[in-house]
Amino acid sequence: MATQKYPAGKFDSAAAGLVLVAAAVGLAARRRRLETTRLQVKRLELLELAHRRTALARQQRMHWELLSRAIDDPSLAAVIDTYDTEIPVEKRRQFFYANAWYVSLYHLYEAGLLDMEELFGRLREFFQNPVMREYWEASRKQRASLKQSSDEARIGTMVDGLICDLEDADTDEWWVVGTPPSS
């Protein structure tokens, strides 16, 4: 009686081929899941950024509304007035307004609508004005409580340097004074 022989190599190579196909299908499925997960994470990050910008916009509106009330009504201004009592009321109102502009620029930077170089340019424009410089000096004590590693403190230090540069400049061309930081 004759036995039929099956070449072992054919079954082994077919099995190996099936294993490779299964591995490729599994790898492709894993890649799709990873890509889906990556896209979901990116979507959540963008959603978080949108919520943050919305919250910053609301905060800026609220800040302006509160400052507007303080500017218009000295009895309300007394609630937030931390300036030296020797400063005349009219000058304090100017300082509240100056603060509103400064905070507006800070919020634009914080929201990512201005980079550091653009912020510097806008601040250079505002701080060429003597009233803004007076406001900055009068608010020095308020800034002293900032955490030194915060963006607000870093920007405050940048403004301090900018004001020194503006005061030391031997040109009336304020728009070229100072060296903008790299973004």
Side-chain angles (χ1 to χ4, degrees):
M1 182 179 264
T3 48
Q4 191 173 4
K5 289 187 173 182
Y6 294 101
K10 285 187 180 178
F11 285 118
D12 288 345
S13 63
L18 287 174
V19 168
L20 285 176
V21 168
V25 169
L27 184 59
R30 188 175 302 135
R31 282 186 181 158
R32 279 192 303 274
R33 284 192 306 271
L34 284 172
E35 181 63 17
T36 299
T37 301
R38 188 188 68 75
L39 290 173
Q40 287 173 339
V41 167
K42 186 65 175 172
R43 189 177 126 288
L44 290 173
E45 287 171 349
L46 291 173
L47 190 59
E48 181 182 345
L49 180 62
H51 285 303
R52 180 172 165 73
R53 284 188 174 170
T54 300
L56 285 171
R58 273 194 224 122
Q59 172 59 36
Q60 187 173 5
R61 271 192 306 277
M62 177 65 80
H63 182 258
W64 172 246
E65 286 175 24
L66 292 170
L67 274 179
S68 293
R69 290 178 185 168
I71 290 168
D72 294 340
D73 185 343
S75 68
L76 296 178
V79 173
I80 61 168
D81 190 352
T82 58
Y83 298 111
D84 185 345
T85 56
E86 300 298 314
I87 298 173
V89 171
E90 201 56 35
K91 180 66 71 174
R92 290 177 196 207
R93 291 177 73 194
Q94 289 178 333
F95 289 173
F96 289 142
Y97 190 68
N99 175 262
W101 276 106
Y102 175 76
V103 170
S104 175
L105 290 175
Y106 176 75
H107 282 272
L108 287 171
Y109 168 75
E110 193 176 33
L113 301 173
L114 293 177
D115 64 21
M116 187 60 82
E117 189 173 340
E118 292 167 321
L119 175 63
F120 181 86
R122 299 273 180 92
L123 290 169
R124 178 172 48 201
E125 177 183 351
F126 278 94
F127 281 99
Q128 62 84 30
N129 180 298
V131 176
M132 284 296 289
R133 291 186 205 171
E134 286 179 68
Y135 149 73
W136 194 253
E137 183 57 37
S139 63
R140 183 169 301 284
K141 291 177 186 173
Q142 290 119 323
R143 290 190 312 281
S145 65
L146 295 173
K147 185 177 178 181
Q148 291 305 306
S149 61
S150 70
D151 276 348
E152 226 176 328
R154 283 187 315 107
I155 292 168
T157 300
M158 180 181 74
V159 170
D160 289 340
L162 175 60
I163 289 172
C164 286
D165 290 346
L166 286 166
E167 289 174 351
D168 293 345
D170 58 356
T171 180
D172 290 335
E173 297 174 345
W174 55 264
W175 54 93
V176 297
V177 174
T179 304
S182 55
S183 295

